[in-house]
Coordinates of all heavy atoms in Angstrom, one line a residue:
V1 N 54.5 38.2 -137.2 CA 55.7 38.2 -136.6 C 56.6 37.0 -136.9 O 56.2 35.9 -136.5 CB 55.7 38.6 -135.0 CG1 57.1 38.6 -134.5 CG2 55.0 39.8 -134.8
F2 N 57.7 37.2 -137.6 CA 58.7 36.1 -137.9 C 59.9 36.2 -136.8 O 60.3 37.2 -136.5 CB 59.4 36.3 -139.2 CG 58.3 35.9 -140.5 CD1 57.4 37.0 -140.8 CD2 58.5 34.8 -141.0 CE1 56.5 36.7 -141.8 CE2 57.4 34.5 -142.0 CZ 56.5 35.5 -142.4
G3 N 60.1 35.0 -136.2 CA 61.0 34.9 -135.1 C 60.3 35.3 -133.8 O 60.8 35.8 -132.9
A4 N 59.0 35.0 -133.8 CA 58.1 35.3 -132.6 C 58.6 34.8 -131.2 O 58.3 35.4 -130.3 CB 56.7 34.9 -132.9
G5 N 59.3 33.7 -131.2 CA 59.7 33.0 -130.0 C 61.0 33.7 -129.5 O 61.5 33.3 -128.5
G6 N 61.8 34.4 -130.3 CA 63.1 35.0 -129.9 C 62.9 36.1 -129.0 O 61.8 36.6 -128.7
R7 N 64.1 36.7 -128.5 CA 64.0 37.7 -127.5 C 63.3 38.9 -128.0 O 62.4 39.5 -127.3 CB 65.5 37.9 -127.0 CG 65.6 39.1 -126.0 CD 67.1 39.1 -125.5 NE 67.1 40.3 -124.7 CZ 68.4 40.5 -124.0 NH1 69.3 39.7 -124.0 NH2 68.4 41.6 -123.1
M8 N 63.7 39.4 -129.1 CA 63.0 40.5 -129.7 C 61.7 40.3 -130.3 O 60.8 41.0 -130.1 CB 64.0 41.2 -130.8 CG 65.0 42.1 -130.4 SD 64.5 43.4 -129.2 CE 63.4 44.3 -130.4
G9 N 61.6 39.1 -130.8 CA 60.2 38.7 -131.4 C 59.2 38.6 -130.3 O 58.0 39.0 -130.6
R10 N 59.4 38.2 -129.1 CA 58.5 38.2 -128.0 C 58.1 39.6 -127.7 O 56.8 39.9 -127.5 CB 59.0 37.5 -126.8 CG 59.3 36.1 -127.0 CD 59.4 35.3 -125.7 NE 60.6 35.8 -125.0 CZ 61.8 35.2 -125.1 NH1 62.0 34.1 -126.0 NH2 62.8 35.6 -124.4
E11 N 59.0 40.5 -127.7 CA 58.9 42.0 -127.4 C 57.8 42.5 -128.5 O 57.0 43.3 -128.2 CB 60.1 42.7 -127.3 CG 60.9 42.4 -126.0 CD 60.2 42.6 -124.8 OE1 59.4 43.7 -124.8 OE2 60.4 41.9 -123.8
V12 N 58.0 42.3 -129.7 CA 57.3 42.7 -130.9 C 55.9 42.2 -130.6 O 55.0 43.0 -130.9 CB 57.9 42.4 -132.3 CG1 57.0 42.8 -133.3 CG2 59.3 43.0 -132.3
C13 N 55.8 40.9 -130.4 CA 54.4 40.4 -130.2 C 53.6 41.1 -129.2 O 52.4 41.5 -129.3 CB 54.5 39.0 -129.8 SG 55.0 37.8 -131.2
L14 N 54.3 41.4 -128.0 CA 53.6 42.2 -126.9 C 53.4 43.5 -127.3 O 52.2 44.2 -127.0 CB 54.5 42.2 -125.6 CG 54.6 40.8 -124.9 CD1 55.7 40.8 -123.9 CD2 53.3 40.4 -124.3
A15 N 54.2 44.2 -128.2 CA 54.1 45.6 -128.5 C 52.7 45.7 -129.5 O 52.0 46.7 -129.4 CB 55.3 46.1 -129.2
V16 N 52.8 44.8 -130.4 CA 51.6 44.7 -131.4 C 50.3 44.5 -130.7 O 49.3 45.3 -130.9 CB 51.9 43.7 -132.5 CG1 50.6 43.6 -133.4 CG2 53.1 44.0 -133.3
A17 N 50.3 43.5 -129.8 CA 49.1 43.2 -129.1 C 48.6 44.2 -128.2 O 47.3 44.4 -127.9 CB 49.3 41.8 -128.3
S18 N 49.5 45.1 -127.8 CA 49.1 46.2 -126.9 C 48.3 47.4 -127.6 O 47.9 48.3 -126.9 CB 50.2 46.7 -126.0 OG 51.1 47.4 -126.9
Q19 N 48.5 47.5 -128.9 CA 48.0 48.6 -129.7 C 46.5 48.3 -130.0 O 46.2 47.2 -130.6 CB 48.8 48.7 -131.0 CG 50.3 49.0 -130.7 CD 50.5 50.3 -129.9 OE1 49.9 51.4 -130.1 NE2 51.3 50.2 -128.8
D20 N 45.7 49.3 -130.0 CA 44.3 49.3 -130.3 C 43.9 49.1 -131.8 O 43.1 48.5 -132.2 CB 43.5 50.4 -129.8 CG 43.4 50.4 -128.3 OD1 43.5 49.4 -127.6 OD2 43.4 51.5 -127.6
D21 N 44.9 49.6 -132.7 CA 44.8 49.6 -134.0 C 45.7 48.7 -134.7 O 45.9 48.8 -135.9 CB 45.1 51.0 -134.7 CG 46.4 51.6 -134.3 OD1 47.2 50.8 -133.5 OD2 46.8 52.7 -134.7
M22 N 46.1 47.6 -134.1 CA 46.9 46.6 -134.5 C 46.4 45.2 -134.2 O 45.8 45.1 -133.0 CB 48.4 46.7 -134.2 CG 49.2 47.9 -134.9 SD 50.9 47.7 -134.4 CE 51.4 49.4 -134.8
E23 N 46.6 44.3 -135.0 CA 46.1 42.9 -134.6 C 47.2 42.0 -134.8 O 47.7 41.8 -136.0 CB 44.9 42.4 -135.5 CG 44.4 41.0 -135.1 CD 43.4 40.6 -136.2 OE1 42.8 41.3 -136.8 OE2 43.2 39.3 -136.1
L24 N 47.7 41.2 -133.8 CA 48.7 40.1 -134.0 C 48.0 38.9 -134.6 O 47.4 38.2 -134.0 CB 49.2 39.8 -132.7 CG 50.5 38.7 -132.7 CD1 51.7 39.2 -133.5 CD2 50.9 38.5 -131.3
A25 N 48.1 38.8 -135.9 CA 47.5 37.9 -136.6 C 48.2 36.6 -137.2 O 47.6 35.6 -137.6 CB 46.8 38.4 -138.0
C26 N 49.5 36.5 -137.0 CA 50.3 35.4 -137.4 C 51.7 35.4 -136.7 O 52.2 36.4 -136.5 CB 50.4 35.5 -139.0 SG 51.5 34.2 -139.7
A27 N 52.1 34.3 -136.3 CA 53.4 34.2 -135.7 C 54.1 33.0 -136.2 O 53.5 31.9 -136.5 CB 53.3 33.9 -134.1
V28 N 55.4 33.3 -136.5 CA 56.2 32.3 -137.2 C 57.5 32.0 -136.5 O 58.2 33.0 -136.1 CB 56.6 32.6 -138.7 CG1 57.4 31.6 -139.4 CG2 55.2 32.9 -139.4
D29 N 57.9 30.8 -136.2 CA 59.2 30.5 -135.6 C 59.3 28.9 -135.7 O 58.7 28.3 -134.9 CB 59.2 30.9 -134.2 CG 60.6 31.1 -133.5 OD1 61.4 30.1 -133.8 OD2 61.0 32.0 -132.9
P30 N 60.4 28.5 -136.5 CA 60.6 27.1 -136.6 C 60.9 26.3 -135.3 O 60.6 25.2 -135.1 CB 61.7 26.9 -137.6 CG 62.3 28.3 -137.6 CD 61.2 29.2 -137.4
A31 N 61.5 27.1 -134.4 CA 61.9 26.5 -133.1 C 60.7 26.1 -132.1 O 60.8 25.3 -131.2 CB 62.8 27.5 -132.3
Y32 N 59.5 26.8 -132.5 CA 58.3 26.6 -131.6 C 57.1 26.2 -132.4 O 56.0 26.4 -132.1 CB 58.1 27.9 -130.9 CG 59.2 28.4 -130.0 CD1 60.0 29.3 -130.3 CD2 59.2 27.8 -128.6 CE1 61.0 29.7 -129.4 CE2 60.3 28.1 -127.8 CZ 61.1 29.1 -128.2 OH 62.2 29.5 -127.4
A33 N 57.4 25.6 -133.7 CA 56.3 25.3 -134.5 C 55.3 24.4 -133.9 O 55.6 23.4 -133.2 CB 56.8 24.6 -135.8
G34 N 54.0 24.7 -134.0 CA 52.8 23.9 -133.4 C 52.5 24.3 -132.0 O 51.5 23.8 -131.5
R35 N 53.2 25.1 -131.3 CA 53.0 25.5 -130.0 C 52.0 26.7 -129.9 O 52.0 27.6 -130.9 CB 54.2 25.7 -129.2 CG 55.0 24.5 -129.0 CD 56.3 24.7 -128.1 NE 55.8 25.3 -126.9 CZ 56.7 25.7 -125.9 NH1 58.1 25.5 -126.1 NH2 56.3 26.2 -124.7
L36 N 51.3 26.9 -128.9 CA 50.4 28.0 -128.7 C 51.4 29.3 -128.4 O 52.3 29.0 -127.6 CB 49.4 27.9 -127.5 CG 48.3 27.0 -127.8 CD1 47.6 26.6 -126.5 CD2 47.4 27.7 -128.9
L37 N 51.2 30.4 -129.1 CA 52.0 31.5 -128.8 C 52.1 32.0 -127.4 O 53.0 32.5 -126.9 CB 51.6 32.7 -129.8 CG 52.5 33.8 -129.8 CD1 53.9 33.6 -130.2 CD2 51.9 35.0 -130.7
R38 N 50.9 31.9 -126.8 CA 50.7 32.4 -125.3 C 51.7 31.6 -124.4 O 51.9 32.0 -123.3 CB 49.3 32.4 -124.9 CG 48.6 31.1 -124.8 CD 47.3 31.1 -124.2 NE 46.6 29.8 -124.1 CZ 45.6 29.5 -124.9 NH1 45.2 30.2 -125.8 NH2 45.0 28.2 -124.8
D39 N 51.9 30.3 -124.7 CA 52.8 29.6 -123.9 C 54.3 30.0 -124.0 O 55.0 29.6 -123.2 CB 52.7 28.1 -124.2 CG 51.3 27.5 -123.9 OD1 50.6 28.1 -123.1 OD2 51.0 26.5 -124.5
I40 N 54.6 30.8 -125.1 CA 56.0 31.1 -125.4 C 56.2 32.6 -124.9 O 57.3 32.9 -124.5 CB 56.3 31.0 -126.9 CG1 56.0 29.6 -127.3 CG2 57.7 31.5 -127.1 CD1 55.9 29.5 -128.9
V41 N 55.2 33.4 -125.1 CA 55.2 34.9 -124.7 C 54.4 35.1 -123.4 O 53.2 35.2 -123.6 CB 54.7 35.7 -125.9 CG1 55.0 37.2 -125.6 CG2 55.5 35.4 -127.2

């Protein structure tokens, strides 16, 4: 997910993570680089 820390990006992360047949395997967002994704979403 590119733009993972944005308003829609956060929703997409949650949507992907909620699916049994999908794996949220990478998150990209220059505004939050180096931070844990769980602290943002």
Side-chain angles (χ1 to χ4, degrees):
V1 178
F2 287 79
R7 181 171 176 171
M8 280 302 301
R10 293 195 298 270
E11 292 297 326
V12 172
C13 288
L14 289 169
V16 171
S18 70
Q19 301 300 312
D20 293 335
D21 57 354
M22 294 184 190
E23 177 187 346
L24 181 57
C26 180
V28 181
D29 195 317
Y32 299 96
R35 291 184 57 183
L36 287 169
L37 184 61
R38 65 170 178 259
D39 293 339
I40 301 164
V41 185

